[in-house]
Amino acid sequence: MSMETPNLPGGPLSGLVASGIEYMVDAGQRSVLFLDIMRQRGDQYREHVAQTAPHVLQYAAELIIDGRKLDEPVNYALVRIIPPKGVEIDLERRPFIVVDPRAGHGPGIGGFKADSEIGVAMNAGHPCYFVGFLPDPMPGQTIERIARAEALFIEKVISLHPQADGKPCVIGNCQAGWAVMILASLRPELFGPLIIAGAPLAYWEGVHGKYPMRYSGGLLGGSWLTALTSDLGGGKFDGAWLVQNFENQNPSNTLWTKQYNVYSKVDTEADRYLEFERWWGGHVNLNAEEIQFIVDELFVGNNLAAGNIKMSDGATVDLRKIRSPIVVFCSEGDNVTPPQQALNWILDCYADVDEIRAYGQTIVYTVHQTVGHLGIFVSGGVAKKEHAEFSSNIDLIDVLPPGLYEATFEARGSDTLNADLAVGQWVMRCEARTLDDIRAMGGNSPEDERRFAAAKRVSELNLAAYQKFVQPWVKSMVTPQMAEWARNMHPLRLQYEAFSSQNPLMAAVKSAAEKVEDNRKPVASENPFLVFQEQMSKQIVHMLDSWRDSQETLSEAIFLNVYGSPALQAAVGIDPKSEPSRRREMSPEHRAMLDKRIAELKSKIGEGGLREAAVRALLYVGSARGMVDERSIEALRQVRHARGGARLTLPEFKMLVREQFFMLLLDREGALAAIPKMLPDDINQRHAAIDAMRHVLSASEEITGERAIRLKRVAELFGVDAGGEPASNVAPFDPKAKAS
């Protein structure tokens, strides 16, 4: 492929001809190298799917539990991640468990790179475990059986770390997110904080003009097509169809940009592209029962947030039963799981923030502005920022008082106050929010709710008709050989096979590519033909995006008009004039338990000593700011360690914080009035407590305004003045005085 550019006489035309020849040489070489990358991708695919347990983890791992050997076998496994050289693990820190999504691809995406969820958790000193799966499900495997297996996995991790300072932090990506939430509602005692990344929980939610995937179930007539696909697969659903659904959301990337990016940067993009394609092409299968549960109960039925899912033992999945802090990570750039689907379950479950607190729940969310769905758990930039901060500050999140918070991040710089108290390159804050902040992101109108309810009912009718009249015939016709042939003939699999070395036409590509690499002549970036190539690429992307937008607009219009028809709604049993609401009321049982707990806390307001009084006072002063900063928590940790002696464990400290927070919430004036009676006679101890409070409160910003007023009031309760000196002339505290 070596070609020399001929010398031509000077002049504009000769220069253009020379540029054209240079471009043709470069384009020809790039074409050969591109084809060779496609060949490598095909060979890599064949090697990957031939493995017994294919994955893309970049870490060595030790098998802990093989789910295939359980009494109720599943194709899942628990492994311990072996830390790479140079990474120190603190066995007293809570372990992290990353559960990967089984959404058509193989496992390993949570540990796909060094800058990954697993990587940042280990860098923060946490032991790490990973829950992955094999390509084929076990016979009889269901979503419920998988949940029971994962409960056994978590129990095992807990038993391996008896000295850990808290229950495991569990990360659920995408599909694994809702699975983790279901299990946490059924077995809340097993979990530490939950990090739910890019996971749909409120499946009907969204805004008009965006996120068309939520209309798919209605436009296809419901889940009967899922059942048909499983039947044609001999009782298995090919995960390649899920991957294709994802690719259909962005045709310009699928049909052009992904490949063009490799072609145009063929000298530098091969490794990155092949690394990603190794995971992207590792399709897995699901049992028919599994995928039918997912579609009927979740995507079309939207029963998770509504509390309408029941297990075989009669237990109801109620997300309000989760007792661990829930961290929800989503992005406005995610058209698969938009913020509304990730967050609006909160509106279904609670009337206001007080009700969140009444259930003892702590919910923290963060909304990225641009990253796409896969970038939430693949992007190195995201891992270095959001995931790294969550991993490093998981104890901060665990001790937050119950309520709703948004995690915000500020770059740490030379002018950052007490920068040494922050971990990494960002300072994380948890700022108090209300349900109105969630509502402001948008959601469904009552008309939309009726439309989706009608689509759900149509799905149920169509599925019942298919199961009665068509399914027996299809099952009797499909043989295992036909099902296997159908899987092998899937377009996504064929595109890998077609360019592999198994294709005789690709035999000459490898040797040609080797010659090209020896004589590579890349064209200059200012070459006019290369510039024209880039412009043409942009036009192709614009054309495909415009086509996608028009199709999405049409799809939305069809869905809204068909399922918005009063006649159709009435025909399927939906009142066209109803004002549907999915929000559930608090059960009488929980109300009785809550009343009992309130009475208990009120009776204990005067109990405790200096530790309880100091935490109560610190919460009172700090709540004036409406946020918690990681620097303040680190300062508090330093104070606790500096004092030595018998210290509370993290769970004990968390309980202390929550009790004092609720006492202030129930009766702030009574709780403050009780402080002097809880203090020791030793003025030096009281003086030290005020100094410690001032140290914690000033860690993130100067103590001014309302916080300064409240600190002065607390100092008076402690019998010292604002400067920390004993105050013999301080007037007695009047509990009837109005709170600041």
Side-chain angles (χ1 to χ4, degrees), residues 609-619 621 635-636 639-640 643 675-676 678-698 703 710-712 714-726:
L610 178 61
R611 182 165 53 196
E612 287 75 14
V615 169
R616 186 180 302 178
L618 190 58
L619 288 169
V621 179
L636 179 60
V639 168
R640 291 176 63 207
R643 293 196 171 190
I675 286 179
M678 301 163 65
L679 299 174
D681 294 333
D682 188 343
I683 190 65
N684 291 325
Q685 292 185 37
R686 287 182 275 156
H687 187 294
I690 292 295
D691 282 346
M693 283 184 227
R694 188 177 292 106
H695 175 67
V696 172
L697 293 166
S698 62
I703 306 172
R710 293 192 181 192
L711 181 60
K712 182 176 183 298
V714 165
E716 293 172 354
L717 293 172
F718 273 67
V720 300
D721 64 23
E725 297 299 326

Side-chain angles (χ1 to χ4, degrees), residues 255-274:
L255 300 176
W256 180 258
T257 305
K258 185 165 66 170
Q259 285 70 233
Y260 176 75
N261 189 54
V262 178
Y263 170 76
S264 62
K265 304 173 184 175
V266 74
D267 299 304
T268 59
E269 284 296 296
D271 290 343
R272 184 204 61 80
Y273 176 76
L274 291 172

Side-chain angles (χ1 to χ4, degrees), residues 328 343-351 356 363 365 404 435 438:
V328 179
L343 295 172
N344 282 16
W345 63 275
I346 300 170
L347 305 180
D348 293 343
C349 292
Y350 309 101
I356 294 177
I363 303 173
Y365 69 89
L404 179 65
L435 266 58
I438 303 294

Side-chain angles (χ1 to χ4, degrees), residues 628-647:
V628 179
D629 190 296
E630 69 170 282
R631 291 168 293 181
S632 297
I633 295 297
E634 178 58 28
L636 179 60
R637 183 183 292 115
Q638 291 181 3
V639 168
R640 291 176 63 207
H641 280 275
R643 293 196 171 190
R647 293 193 302 270

Side-chain angles (χ1 to χ4, degrees), residues 143-185:
I143 296 297
E144 183 175 354
R145 183 184 290 187
I146 293 170
R148 288 195 289 267
E150 290 178 344
L152 294 175
F153 294 167
I154 298 173
E155 288 174 345
K156 180 64 176 180
V157 172
I158 292 173
S159 70
L160 293 174
H161 296 271
Q163 303 303 317
D165 56 6
K167 293 291 178 64
C169 173
V170 181
I171 300 177
N173 294 321
C174 186
Q175 299 280 58
W178 56 255
V180 165
M181 291 285 279
I182 288 176
L183 179 56
S185 74

Side-chain angles (χ1 to χ4, degrees), residues 86-409:
V87 175
E88 295 293 332
I89 299 299
D90 183 354
L91 295 180
E92 293 189 356
R93 300 212 68 181
R94 73 170 79 241
F96 271 59
I97 304 174
V98 176
V99 185
D100 248 19
R102 188 157 154 254
H105 305 98
I109 197 65
F112 183 55
K113 301 177 180 179
D115 293 323
S116 62
E117 294 166 335
I118 290 176
V120 297
M122 285 196 296
N123 287 336
H126 296 276
C128 284
Y129 294 81
F130 180 78
V131 176
F133 43 86
L134 298 175
D136 281 303
M138 298 297 290
Q141 178 174 305
T142 63
I143 296 297
E144 183 175 354
R145 183 184 290 187
I146 293 170
R148 288 195 289 267
E150 290 178 344
L152 294 175
F153 294 167
I154 298 173
E155 288 174 345
K156 180 64 176 180
V157 172
I158 292 173
S159 70
L160 293 174
H161 296 271
Q163 303 303 317
D165 56 6
K167 293 291 178 64
C169 173
V170 181
I171 300 177
N173 294 321
C174 186
Q175 299 280 58
W178 56 255
V180 165
M181 291 285 279
I182 288 176
L183 179 56
S185 74
L186 297 171
R187 298 288 306 277
E189 77 281 2
L190 296 179
F191 289 83
L194 306 173
I195 298 179
I196 308 300
L201 298 169
Y203 300 85
W204 293 353
E205 293 293 341
V207 295
H208 288 185
K210 294 183 178 180
Y211 319 128
M213 188 175 280
R214 65 192 182 125
Y215 302 128
S216 298
L219 295 174
L220 295 172
S223 67
W224 72 272
L225 192 57
T226 302
L228 173 62
T229 305
S230 298
D231 293 338
L232 292 174
K236 292 182 181 179
F237 185 91
D238 187 355
W241 293 111
L242 297 176
V243 178
Q244 188 167 58
N245 285 341
F246 182 90
E247 289 195 336
N248 290 341
Q249 298 300 302
N250 193 355
S252 64
N253 183 70
T254 299
L255 300 176
W256 180 258
T257 305
K258 185 165 66 170
Q259 285 70 233
Y260 176 75
N261 189 54
V262 178
Y263 170 76
S264 62
K265 304 173 184 175
V266 74
D267 299 304
T268 59
E269 284 296 296
D271 290 343
R272 184 204 61 80
Y273 176 76
L274 291 172
E275 181 184 39
F276 179 79
E277 286 294 300
R278 188 161 62 95
W279 173 68
W280 192 249
H283 309 127
V284 300
N285 298 316
L286 295 86
N287 276 341
E289 295 84 358
E290 295 179 276
I291 190 65
Q292 206 65 44
F293 175 95
I294 293 170
V295 176
D296 287 338
E297 297 290 345
L298 305 177
F299 288 100
V300 175
N302 196 36
N303 289 323
L304 179 57
N308 294 330
I309 297 177
K310 285 193 175 182
M311 298 290 104
S312 60
D313 60 359
T316 300
V317 176
D318 186 345
L319 300 182
R320 298 175 299 181
K321 294 180 180 179
I322 299 174
R323 291 293 168 263
S324 307
I326 303 168
V327 179
V328 179
F329 183 27
C330 55
S331 172
E332 291 184 1
D334 183 354
N335 66 341
V336 176
T337 304
Q340 293 82 6
Q341 291 185 19
L343 295 172
N344 282 16
W345 63 275
I346 300 170
L347 305 180
D348 293 343
C349 292
Y350 309 101
D352 49 35
V353 172
D354 285 339
E355 196 164 298
I356 294 177
R357 292 168 177 158
Y359 279 92
Q361 285 201 325
T362 302
I363 303 173
V364 180
Y365 69 89
T366 186
V367 183
H368 199 281
Q369 297 303 307
T370 59
V371 69
H373 183 68
L374 292 178
I376 291 177
F377 23 89
V378 176
S379 169
V382 170
K384 289 180 180 178
K385 183 181 178 183
E386 281 85 350
H387 287 303
E389 290 299 325
F390 288 144
S391 298
S392 300
N393 293 288
I394 203 66
D395 292 344
L396 179 160
I397 293 170
D398 201 15
V399 300
L400 278 176
L404 179 65
Y405 303 86
E406 180 178 7
T408 60
F409 305 89

Side-chain angles (χ1 to χ4, degrees), residues 400-418:
L400 278 176
L404 179 65
Y405 303 86
E406 180 178 7
T408 60
F409 305 89
E410 180 181 290
R412 189 178 74 165
S414 57
D415 57 344
T416 300
L417 182 65
N418 295 317

